[in-house]
Amino acid sequence: MQTEKYRGYTLWGHAILQQEDILRPERFAASGTITRDTKVVDVSGVLGTFGTDEEAESAGIAWCRAWVDGHE
């Protein structure tokens, strides 16, 4: 999980392992969570799947930043 502070919010990028078959490569679903003062403000759904957990977490953070920019 990745986290960062942005314009008074705390942003969380999540990576959820999505491995359907042990013989297939790992994939990670991305999502994002936005909090302010320890309260959840918004949560994304699944934003897509990625080849690494870092890519998925970064996609979650990017979604959070876009949400904050659109609601300020």
Side-chain angles (χ1 to χ4, degrees):
M1 182 169 19
Q2 242 183 71
T3 184
E4 82 174 42
K5 301 281 186 186
Y6 185 73
R7 298 178 135 184
Y9 294 88
T10 302
L11 314 180
W12 305 82
H14 309 281
I16 303 104
L17 180 62
Q18 304 288 299
Q19 189 170 9
E20 296 177 13
D21 186 334
I22 194 148
L23 299 176
R24 290 190 172 169
E26 292 179 336
R27 300 287 294 168
F28 296 86
S31 68
T33 302
I34 303 162
T35 61
R36 186 174 215 165
D37 301 325
T38 70
K39 294 181 180 160
V40 174
V41 175
D42 204 354
V43 179
S44 75
V46 173
L47 302 169
T49 57
F50 298 84
T52 68
D53 58 341
E54 292 89 3
E55 289 173 317
E57 290 169 355
S58 293
I61 293 288
W63 176 87
C64 292
R65 279 192 216 116
W67 186 97
V68 169
D69 290 345
H71 287 84
E72 289 282 308

